[in-house]
Amino acid sequence: MSTKATVEKLVSLCKRRGIVFQSSEIYGGIGGFWDYGPLGVELKNNIKRAWWKAVVQERDDMVGLDAAIVMNPTVWKASGHLDTFADPMVDCKDCKRRFRADELARHVPASAHGHAAEAPILRCPECGGELTEPRMFNLMFRTYVGPVEDDASVAYLRPETAQGMFVNFGNVLQTTRKKLPFGIAQIGKAFRNEITPGNFIFRDREFEQMEIEYFVKPGTDEEWHQHWVEERHRWYLNLGLSPERLRVRRLDREELAHYAKDTYEVEYLFPMGWSELEGIANRTDFDLGRHAEFSGRVLEYFDEETGEHVVPYVIEPSSGVDRLLMAFLMDAYDEEEVRGETRAILRLHKDLAPTKVAVLPLSRNEQLVPPAREVWALLRPHWMTQYDDAQAIGRRYRRQDEVGTPYCVTIDFDTLTDQAVTIRERDSMEQVRVPIANLVAALREKLD
Ligand code: GAP
């Protein structure tokens, strides 16, 4: 990340360029909810695609799943979320602001839910007022299924996608006939009624998770845990996150969630400090064991080699798309002086860039528009593209630099005679002349 990146600049860029908008903005917004604009949805899809490719498509031991958001409420009893998925909350008696007591008490990693406050905080950090005693607040959103709103119809929006994979363990095993070790991957929305959402899209009430439940033979879990920590760390580096702003940290015993034997976090150095992008937990046989107990079903694996039935252990790499998107944007943001002007630039990895190629006629001259539109039509089947003919060419290059477009293709008056165009590269600003007939191949070499 360049030292020029700040959360304020990022929020402004995201709004101005259609990456992230405040949800329901025309009604004053709603805390902890965000909408992704035309460029944001592309960036988000690219992050999800890169993850799916690495953890499902390119592996022979992984399969995908897309489970429902609302599940039978007993799932949350079995998983422990109904009893323990809570944060300690305090209110200021004067200004009525609400805080997470554990965050006031000490700087804890963002997702360390389920831990009681260690010591009561005496004063409100905003107004100095007196605070209430901490009380536990369950983070799950409640709703009702069906037309009657009574205790029997209570259901919850899932706070993690993980449980969909545990309860489908038997279905997946039976239909895919996978042998241990194997994993299930899922991308989907999760909901948490966070007491203090904030830091832009870092901590939301509605967000998207990318989770893996990797089932292994007990006794091999520690080895597989290390495998996934290394794999996942490498994935971030491959997508260009600065190594000096990325670290892997093993959690202390008292930071572990109720289901975990051991957990590592991949953390990024945001302006607000080192913060979790992904947790990689050894969940042991906790979840399968609990679901077997609560459902009465057998959730075991028959090991043909030993002739034994085993309850697999689970390694869980779990990340959040919104948080990753913020990290990739912060890391890519840069500013540099070019010919006496400041150029803002997103040095995004080409796989993540929302738009891969921008098509820019030198001007709106009526001779240039038809070939420019033809070039645009030529590229659209291959990549996400943009056509821009408003204002001077220099300004249009800057607009594309600011949203991370790796290549601009310029159609000028020479194009009318030589049937060639100029490809301009974002980071170096170098330009090469390429015949239109070779344009797709030339860009493919650079982009694919
Ligand atoms: N299944 C395990 C689990 O959900 P977690 O550490 O609570 O573990 C995993 O969440 C990831 O989900 C986090 O590393 C983070 O990237 C993302 N995440 C969690 N809570 C979030 C929130 N309120 N807003 C945005 N992302 C969140």
Side-chain angles (χ1 to χ4, degrees):
M1 184 177 77
S2 118
T3 47
K4 289 145 192 160
T6 63
V7 176
E8 291 71 29
K9 280 185 193 172
L10 197 67
V11 173
S12 155
L13 173 72
C14 285
K15 181 169 163 44
R16 202 161 24 85
R17 299 307 309 273
I19 300 173
V20 183
F21 305 124
Q22 197 183 12
S23 168
S24 343
E25 190 195 53
I26 61 169
Y27 290 105
I30 170 165
F33 297 87
W34 299 91
D35 296 340
Y36 287 83
L39 293 182
V41 68
E42 295 301 331
L43 177 53
K44 222 176 170 203
N45 284 342
N46 291 342
I47 292 171
K48 291 189 272 186
R49 207 171 286 133
W51 183 85
W52 195 265
K53 184 163 182 278
V55 307
V56 180
Q57 185 186 329
E58 290 178 355
R59 295 184 66 114
D60 62 2
D61 54 354
M62 291 286 304
V63 292
L65 185 79
D66 185 9
I69 287 173
V70 175
M71 305 174 77
N72 185 307
T74 312
V75 166
W76 307 113
K77 186 76 197 150
S79 68
H81 283 83
L82 267 177
D83 296 326
T84 62
F85 196 61
D87 280 335
M89 179 174 74
V90 289
D91 291 309
C92 172
K93 290 181 182 171
D94 292 344
C95 72
K96 310 295 175 206
R97 283 195 178 85
R98 188 158 276 181
F99 305 95
R100 258 175 69 177
D102 55 342
E103 285 192 338
L104 295 183
R106 60 203 157 99
H107 290 286
V108 291
S111 77
H113 294 306
H115 303 294
E118 284 182 342
I121 298 300
L122 297 179
R123 311 306 311 182
C124 168
E126 294 291 334
C127 75
E130 195 187 337
L131 297 174
T132 61
E133 281 297 306
R135 59 198 186 284
M136 296 311 280
F137 171 75
N138 194 296
L139 301 183
M140 282 198 293
F141 279 99
R142 271 158 67 103
T143 186
Y144 296 94
V145 174
V148 183
E149 295 192 1
D150 61 11
D151 286 352
S153 61
V154 168
Y156 302 90
L157 302 189
R158 68 181 176 201
E160 60 173 16
T161 65
Q163 298 304 322
M165 294 180 268
F166 294 127
V167 300
N168 277 296
F169 170 74
N171 289 334
V172 173
L173 189 62
Q174 212 174 18
T175 51
T176 63
R177 300 202 197 148
K178 284 279 181 199
K179 301 264 180 279
L180 289 186
F182 77 93
I184 307 177
Q186 175 165 223
I187 300 177
K189 289 272 183 166
F191 302 82
R192 295 182 188 180
N193 198 2
E194 297 282 359
I195 298 168
T196 48
N199 283 323
F200 191 31
I201 51 173
F202 182 83
R203 188 177 305 150
D204 315 316
R205 291 185 167 129
E206 173 179 340
F207 55 99
E208 219 167 346
Q209 284 190 316
M210 304 191 289
E211 295 200 291
I212 296 167
E213 305 306 330
Y214 195 77
F215 303 94
V216 305
K217 286 186 191 169
T220 65
D221 51 308
E222 289 178 12
E223 197 183 307
W224 280 108
H225 199 181
Q226 289 309 316
H227 165 88
W228 277 107
V229 171
E230 282 160 28
E231 280 293 298
R232 296 302 305 140
H233 185 207
R234 194 168 29 240
W235 184 82
Y236 290 97
L237 294 173
N238 287 346
L239 284 173
L241 278 193
S242 317
E244 66 279 9
R245 298 205 155 249
L246 198 65
R247 75 175 186 193
V248 172
R249 184 175 73 87
R250 190 177 193 177
L251 297 195
D252 293 334
R253 186 143 286 283
E254 61 276 11
E255 291 178 273
L256 297 178
H258 63 277
Y259 48 72
K261 162 179 158 182
D262 193 8
T263 299
Y264 290 82
E265 277 183 3
V266 180
E267 297 179 340
Y268 182 74
L269 185 55
F270 285 97
M272 63 272 190
W274 286 103
S275 310
E276 173 188 351
L277 293 180
E278 171 160 352
I280 304 159
N282 182 342
R283 286 183 85 128
T284 69
D285 56 1
F286 174 84
D287 301 88
L288 289 180
R290 294 276 291 187
H291 287 304
E293 182 189 335
F294 278 72
S295 67
R297 297 287 188 94
V298 174
L299 296 177
E300 292 175 351
Y301 173 85
F302 179 64
D303 188 342
E304 284 167 2
E305 278 171 27
T306 61
E308 284 174 9
H309 291 270
V310 293
V311 181
Y313 268 37
V314 173
I315 306 302
E316 179 196 63
S318 167
S319 59
V321 183
D322 312 74
R323 230 172 242 195
L324 268 54
L325 187 141
M326 182 167 165
F328 282 123
L329 284 178
M330 298 258 26
D331 207 70
Y333 186 87
D334 198 7
E335 287 170 6
E336 60 181 22
E337 288 297 313
V338 178
R339 289 184 281 279
E341 270 185 36
T342 303
R343 167 170 103 119
I345 177 169
L346 280 183
R347 299 189 195 276
L348 282 171
H349 188 284
K350 63 183 172 47
D351 290 354
L352 299 184
T355 306
K356 306 295 186 216
V357 189
V359 177
L360 314 177
L362 192 64
S363 71
R364 282 184 178 157
N365 182 289
E366 61 183 19
Q367 285 186 293
L368 295 182
V369 172
R373 294 216 160 247
E374 274 172 36
V375 166
W376 190 29
L378 180 72
L379 301 180
R380 283 204 302 272
H382 303 280
W383 300 285
M384 284 308 298
T385 56
Q386 268 191 19
Y387 183 90
D388 187 2
D389 61 4
Q391 300 180 314
I393 189 76
R395 288 196 136 205
R396 283 180 274 154
Y397 284 146
R398 298 286 173 273
R399 275 206 289 273
Q400 295 301 330
D401 293 342
E402 196 187 39
V403 293
T405 306
Y407 297 103
C408 290
V409 169
T410 313
I411 292 89
D412 56 24
F413 287 100
D414 288 341
T415 308
L416 303 177
T417 50
D418 68 2
Q419 294 298 306
V421 291
T422 302
I423 301 177
R424 177 227 188 229
E425 203 266 333
R426 177 193 68 201
D427 295 349
S428 64
M429 295 186 285
E430 274 172 18
Q431 306 197 0
V432 287
R433 195 86 184 153
V434 178
I436 293 173
N438 297 348
L439 182 60
V440 169
L443 286 169
R444 174 150 292 141
E445 204 171 295
K446 296 172 187 298
L447 284 166
D448 293 353

